[in-house]
Amino acid sequence: MAMSLGDAGGGEEEVIAAINTTPLVDVMLVLLIIFLITVPVVTHTVPIKLPNEINRLYEPKVENINLAVRSDGHLYWNDESIAGQAVLLERLKKVAAMKPQPGINIRGDQNARYEFVGRTILTAQRAGIVKIGFILEPPARS
């Protein structure tokens, strides 16, 4: 069955199968104009500068304590000489009670026996020091 878009010559009008899109386009243009008019009214804002707040945990900065061990086993606390392991233990107990606890950095002489450095580490552990580190220096380039 073929459809004809015009007069078939018999005098009778046949059904036109094409959709008339003109009213649809008119409605879409009207809606577009309405949205263009109403959107700026809805999005009208007053500029307000809000404060920037950052929530951070405050941790007071503590300085690490440097312990130096000479080759003969003599100890230094931040360039101050210490008489022996007993004095070191008492001072480290005071440091261990601090909140937050500072770290202990141990610098051993290149010619020092490990025994002296090991005693210093053991003394720090007995005092309750949690963070123990080592200061290493590479040999000088010649």
Side-chain angles (χ1 to χ4, degrees), residues 74-96:
H74 193 74
L75 294 170
Y76 289 90
W77 177 292
N78 288 341
D79 299 330
E80 178 186 338
S81 181
I82 296 180
Q85 296 289 336
V87 176
L88 177 64
L89 180 64
E90 293 304 317
R91 289 180 89 171
L92 287 176
K93 283 183 181 179
K94 293 176 186 175
V95 169

Side-chain angles (χ1 to χ4, degrees), residues 4-141:
S4 173
L5 295 176
D7 194 13
E12 289 185 32
E13 293 186 19
E14 291 189 25
V15 178
I16 299 175
I19 297 174
N20 188 2
T21 59
T22 306
L24 180 64
V25 171
D26 290 344
V27 170
M28 288 176 54
L29 287 173
V30 168
L31 287 174
L32 180 66
I33 291 170
I34 289 172
F35 284 133
L36 287 174
I37 292 172
T38 58
V39 167
V41 173
V42 173
T43 60
H44 179 71
T45 58
V46 176
I48 298 175
K49 179 157 176 43
L50 297 174
N52 295 330
E53 191 64 35
I54 298 172
N55 192 9
R56 291 186 194 147
L57 181 64
Y58 175 72
E59 293 183 15
K61 186 172 180 160
V62 294
E63 293 198 19
N64 292 336
I65 297 167
N66 295 324
L67 296 177
V69 181
R70 283 196 337 201
S71 60
D72 60 354
H74 193 74
L75 294 170
Y76 289 90
W77 177 292
N78 288 341
D79 299 330
E80 178 186 338
S81 181
I82 296 180
Q85 296 289 336
V87 176
L88 177 64
L89 180 64
E90 293 304 317
R91 289 180 89 171
L92 287 176
K93 283 183 181 179
K94 293 176 186 175
V95 169
M98 296 171 65
K99 299 288 182 196
Q101 191 180 81
I104 302 295
N105 294 328
I106 300 174
R107 176 183 307 210
D109 189 354
Q110 186 175 3
N111 299 324
R113 294 189 352 222
Y114 183 74
E115 173 188 0
F116 301 132
V117 177
R119 284 183 190 163
T120 306
I121 294 170
L122 182 63
T123 304
Q125 288 176 342
R126 284 183 185 162
I129 300 296
V130 178
K131 187 176 175 184
I132 301 173
F134 293 96
I135 300 174
L136 303 174
E137 294 179 5
R141 294 183 183 180

